[in-house]
Amino acid sequence: MRVSSYLKNERKEGREPIFDLEGIMMNPPNPGPHAGVPLGGIGSGSIGREITGDFQSWKLWPGKTEHKRVFSDQFFLRINRQNPSNLPNNLKTKNEAVVLSTETKSNTTKSMKKLNWGMNPSKLTFCAVFPRSWHVYDQPLEGVSLCCRQISPIFPHKCRETCLPTAVFV
């Protein structure tokens, strides 16, 4: 009851409450069907990377979850083939680039439309065992396969290090 009146009063005053529990049942936000392993330590806030490779869920403030895709926060693969004359005809393009996202170009912002968007979802495999996860991209560009691994700092019996809001991509 007290939480409900707090939420009502904050919104009435034009302020956003410090946590976002929805409706009368005070349900926490639903991460959705594509939620992957979050980036960041335990208790430090996190950024959710979906199984499709997109950065989608932002939990950077205590009790608040923001679900939004930031198009500029995607991995971008660029290949500069050093000696195209020795390659088969289908690989002779010297410079190639692709955004490692299944998002289509039509959904992106105006400045991002020039990039090569819309990777085929069947060419992407997601695997996870907390605190690690990895995306395997099967030929995002012809002749290239790629594995992008993420690791968040979870150390047994080391609370201080485990709470660091960091992650490593390898």
Side-chain angles (χ1 to χ4, degrees):
M1 185 80 128
R2 288 174 50 187
V3 172
S4 180
S5 82
Y6 162 76
L7 294 172
K8 184 179 176 184
N9 288 338
E10 286 297 298
R11 289 191 175 117
K12 182 178 169 186
E13 295 292 324
R15 296 185 297 254
E16 198 57 34
I18 61 169
F19 48 83
D20 58 359
L21 297 176
E22 300 172 355
I24 255 185
M25 297 303 290
M26 304 294 174
N27 297 320
N30 183 349
H34 301 289
V37 172
L39 300 166
I42 294 175
S44 62
S46 66
I47 298 172
R49 189 163 182 232
E50 291 186 345
I51 61 174
T52 59
D54 297 329
F55 295 92
Q56 174 71 19
S57 177
W58 307 86
K59 298 173 187 143
L60 302 176
W61 300 273
K64 286 193 152 287
T65 301
E66 191 172 352
H67 293 284
K68 71 175 185 176
R69 182 172 286 118
V70 178
F71 294 107
S72 58
D73 291 343
Q74 306 298 330
F75 285 109
F76 184 76
L77 175 64
R78 181 172 179 228
I79 300 292
N80 184 1
R81 304 197 190 263
Q82 293 296 322
N83 194 356
S85 61
N86 293 341
L87 296 172
N89 284 339
N90 60 341
L91 298 179
K92 285 206 187 243
T93 306
K94 188 171 182 178
N95 291 312
E96 298 173 272
V98 65
V99 178
L100 298 175
S101 171
T102 58
E103 188 65 48
T104 61
K105 186 183 288 194
S106 63
N107 293 335
T108 62
T109 59
K110 185 177 179 181
S111 62
M112 303 294 284
K113 287 192 188 289
K114 296 183 237 179
L115 303 174
N116 187 9
W117 288 85
M119 197 179 114
N120 184 347
S122 68
K123 302 267 186 180
L124 173 63
T125 304
F126 174 76
C127 303
V129 178
F130 186 78
R132 301 168 187 243
S133 73
W134 53 101
H135 291 78
V136 178
Y137 299 92
D138 182 28
Q139 297 199 29
L141 294 173
E142 196 165 346
V144 176
S145 289
L146 174 68
C147 179
C148 180
R149 291 180 280 173
Q150 72 184 47
I151 305 165
S152 293
I154 307 298
F155 304 107
H157 312 293
K158 294 188 176 182
C159 184
R160 184 179 212 152
E161 290 84 354
T162 296
C163 292
L164 293 172
T166 60
V168 176
F169 290 94
V170 289

